[in-house]
Amino acid sequence: MTEPVIANSQKGTLFVVATPIGNLEDISARAIRVLNEVSLIAAEDTRHSARLMQHFGIATPLAACHEHNERDQGGRFISRLQAGEDVALISDAGTPLISDPGYHLVRQARAAGYAVVPVPGACALIAALSAAGLPSDRFIFEGFLPAKAVGRRARLEQVKEEPRTLIFYEAPHRILECLEDMRSVFGDERPALLAREITKTFETLQGMPLVDLHSWVASDSNQQRGECVVVVAGWQAPESDAAVSSEALRVLDLLLKDMPLKRAAALAAEITGVRKNLLYQVALERQGQA
Ligand code: SAM
């Protein structure tokens, strides 16, 4: 079913259009139609997108909308919407706003009362997750980690005990140090997957524990090239922790601050009714002595 480009209004619409992340066949028929029908395409890099437009025979004019001008130049696009024209927003690859420019323009358009319509398509994080074989019912996207080691490790520490599947974007020249830091923060055995060059000629999806993934990438410089997504399994509470309610854990943690481990476990058992031995075991784990 096709819908009119102008959505029942005199005002223009801003279409947020996903483009391929490699394989040009991944553009949708709707994306091509919308890009043909709008008056203007706001593009992250007009030269880059000109090649895509040429490939699909799209003659719509392009105007730059990148992270450096987006905030100040947004008005340019808004005034086109005001004039009743439709505008499409695209980035160099994949879905705009996902680690790409567009956030400020979308906010401005919505704040000014214009319809903002997504035209969905390729997105590297979703493509990687869809084929990773790691839990996909709940996940978090962390985007790019900080480039410097100190910042990167601090960020990893923040999500160390995150139970949902974690997804990261990473630059190829940092993939090795990134995996090294993930090993040291998340532990060698945490399951993970590297999705490289998705939809392109050298597409590789390799899933294994972090220790093996790190060695595999270290031993093959080809794995340190191209674009990549890292998917990491979420944290799993040790079995004994999982058997204890969060309230019992809260009581135990409070008592552990003020008294020796054995006494804290005994008192927590009295307060919560949980077995003393189990709480003793959990207390050892929580203090890293198990
Ligand atoms: N907006 C894009 C999206 O929807 O996925 C992401 C843009 S972000 C600037 C670029 C990063 O996305 C790359 O550094 C890489 O981490 C990931 N990426 C993009 N294309 C990819 C591909 N074909 N294979 C693997 N990762 C890709």
Side-chain angles (χ1 to χ4, degrees), residues 24 67-68 149-150 179 203 236:
L24 295 185
E67 58 176 329
H68 305 296
V150 175
L179 289 172
E203 177 181 87
Q236 272 197 326

Side-chain angles (χ1 to χ4, degrees), residues 126-194:
I126 297 298
L129 179 67
S130 71
L134 291 170
S136 53
D137 50 344
R138 295 169 76 220
F139 60 90
I140 61 163
F141 174 52
E142 279 289 310
F144 287 97
L145 288 164
K148 296 203 175 121
V150 175
R152 185 169 55 233
R153 282 186 211 133
R155 179 79 68 79
L156 291 174
E157 285 289 347
Q158 282 171 8
V159 291
K160 183 180 172 176
E161 295 196 353
E162 166 58 59
R164 292 168 291 185
T165 297
L166 301 146
I167 308 174
F168 303 89
Y169 281 170
E170 191 49 280
H173 59 279
R174 277 196 292 268
I175 187 63
L176 203 54
E177 40 186 308
C178 166
L179 289 172
E180 210 168 292
D181 286 344
M182 285 180 171
R183 261 183 74 179
S184 74
V185 175
F186 297 152
D188 282 349
E189 297 313 316
R190 185 85 74 99
L193 171 125
L194 176 67

